[in-house]
Amino acid sequence: MIEGIYVPHVTPFDDNENINEEALRELIHYFENARVSGFVTLGSNGEFPYLNFEEKMRVLKIVCEETNLPVIAGVTENSTRETVKLAKEAWNLGVDALLIAPPYYFKPNEKELFAHYSAIAQSVEAPILIYNVPKFTGINIPIQVIEHLVEEYSNIIGIKDSSGSIGRIGELIRRLGEDMSILAGTADLIYPALALGAHGAVIAVANVAPRLCVELYTAFLEKKYERAKRLQLMINYLNEILVKRYNQISAIKEAMNMLGLNVGYPRMPSLLLDEQAVQEIEFALAEVGLL
């Protein structure tokens, strides 16, 4: 089982929008010191749609070189063929598992979704986590499709569910919680998901507040529920500002830069935030004691 708090880390860029390799290496050690359980590289917050194949492989290579913690590689592409290609290369590079969202341009139906994930599972030996993120893909993967995939393929071992629905997460746990890792994909559901039996979380806010997220998880395991609930409310506030209110890539990188993490800014077409948004982020960081 994959358990704990995994950080879906950003990809640092320099002023010319090139990968800042030194900053990426430093970032990995920063998260290690915060005691995260592992890394999700090339997830949504890693701006994977904006990176070409060679850049994706370079980022994965650097992360694998810098840490002994588990590395889950995002290998989502729009065609099955390209997803399999990236999945094989990532696995050969030495990652520990793969995270795969549905194709996000043409919207596949249930039969096509099953065929897509089946082809990938048959093509690589790697452990695979399904990434349900309707916010970006426009698809809320039907639970019956996930259930069928888990029955057929032993290397489909988990799901990151970013639907934002605690009801859906609860149903995943009820039907599949003993067969795969169920990971909350939105920061405002860490505590509720753990209370229902989820195994951990992969959340954008962990880029900005990794210690708070890890502390919440640890408090829950230690049955310090009041402490865990207070931390959840703090994280909810950050999540509202950084993920829900603005372009989350721009907001998260802005917050990280404020904290002294040299991650640069997103690639276009994402733009810098206006002054009002920057001030709101600064206030939020101060409110939860990060500044």
Side-chain angles (χ1 to χ4, degrees), residues 44 104 107 131 133-139 248:
S44 301
Y104 51 88
K107 301 297 185 291
Y131 183 15
V133 57
K135 172 182 176 180
F136 295 136
T137 65
I139 298 170
Q248 74 179 64

Side-chain angles (χ1 to χ4, degrees), residues 95 145 187 232 252 283:
V95 304
V145 172
Q232 180 67 78
I252 286 169
F283 180 83

Side-chain angles (χ1 to χ4, degrees), residues 253-281:
K253 281 193 163 178
E254 183 70 57
M256 294 176 78
N257 287 323
M258 286 181 185
L259 296 174
L261 301 167
N262 180 28
V263 297
Y265 293 96
R267 280 185 173 173
M268 289 186 69
S270 295
L271 298 175
L272 303 184
L273 300 179
D274 61 30
E275 186 59 32
Q276 179 181 344
V278 170
Q279 290 177 358
E280 191 168 9
I281 290 169

Side-chain angles (χ1 to χ4, degrees), residues 77-90:
E77 298 287 355
N78 266 311
S79 74
T80 306
R81 179 173 178 164
E82 287 300 307
T83 304
V84 168
K85 175 186 174 182
L86 183 55
K88 287 181 175 180
E89 292 294 331

